Amino acid sequence: MTALLTVASILFGGGGLVAIIQAVTGRRARKAEVADRLSDSSLKWVQEFQEETQRARLDAAEARREVAEVRRELAECRHEAEALARDLRNLRGAIMAPAATLERLRALVGGGEVNGRL
């Protein structure tokens, strides 16, 4: 019984109840403050993520355009290389032919003499 009276006097006397109420409401306020901070941090992270995602999308689009241009240039180079290889094979065949003459080779290359030579 004495213990019960002691607890009751602490709670109701000398501001004990006020202290408990403040403690409970203080916790709620702290919880609300923590929740606000978490919400603010989360919102900031989401905004930063969205900005980085947008930059990444722009970079990716630019990279795709550059790759397409490089592929076009590569196709042109491949076409030119194939034509040059074909010309070299034809020229080699003409040079190695048993009936090769200087006049035929000049006609094949499409030029005349340069410093007295083919």
Side-chain angles (χ1 to χ4, degrees):
M1 185 70 140
T2 306
L4 187 59
L5 286 174
T6 305
V7 171
S9 66
I10 290 173
L11 289 177
F12 299 112
L17 182 61
V18 173
I20 291 175
I21 291 173
Q22 287 176 345
V24 170
T25 58
R27 279 189 196 164
R28 287 182 190 156
R30 282 192 299 263
K31 285 181 182 179
E33 183 180 334
V34 168
D36 286 343
R37 285 185 184 175
L38 287 174
S39 293
D40 291 344
S41 296
S42 298
L43 181 60
K44 180 181 175 187
W45 289 345
V46 167
Q47 289 171 340
E48 289 173 358
F49 177 75
Q50 288 173 340
E51 291 170 2
E52 288 181 26
T53 302
Q54 183 62 26
R55 282 192 297 268
R57 285 181 178 152
L58 293 174
D59 290 346
E62 182 180 348
R64 282 191 293 273
R65 284 190 297 273
E66 290 175 2
V67 166
E69 179 62 28
V70 168
R71 285 181 178 161
R72 280 190 293 274
E73 291 175 6
L74 180 61
E76 291 175 14
C77 288
R78 186 179 302 126
H79 178 71
E80 290 177 19
E82 289 170 353
L84 288 171
R86 188 174 45 252
D87 291 347
L88 285 173
R89 279 192 301 276
N90 291 339
L91 185 57
R92 182 183 183 277
I95 291 171
M96 302 304 284
T101 64
L102 192 55
E103 290 78 28
R104 284 185 183 166
L105 293 176
R106 283 186 182 145
L108 180 65
V109 231
E113 290 186 16
V114 177
N115 293 334
R117 297 188 174 186
L118 175 64

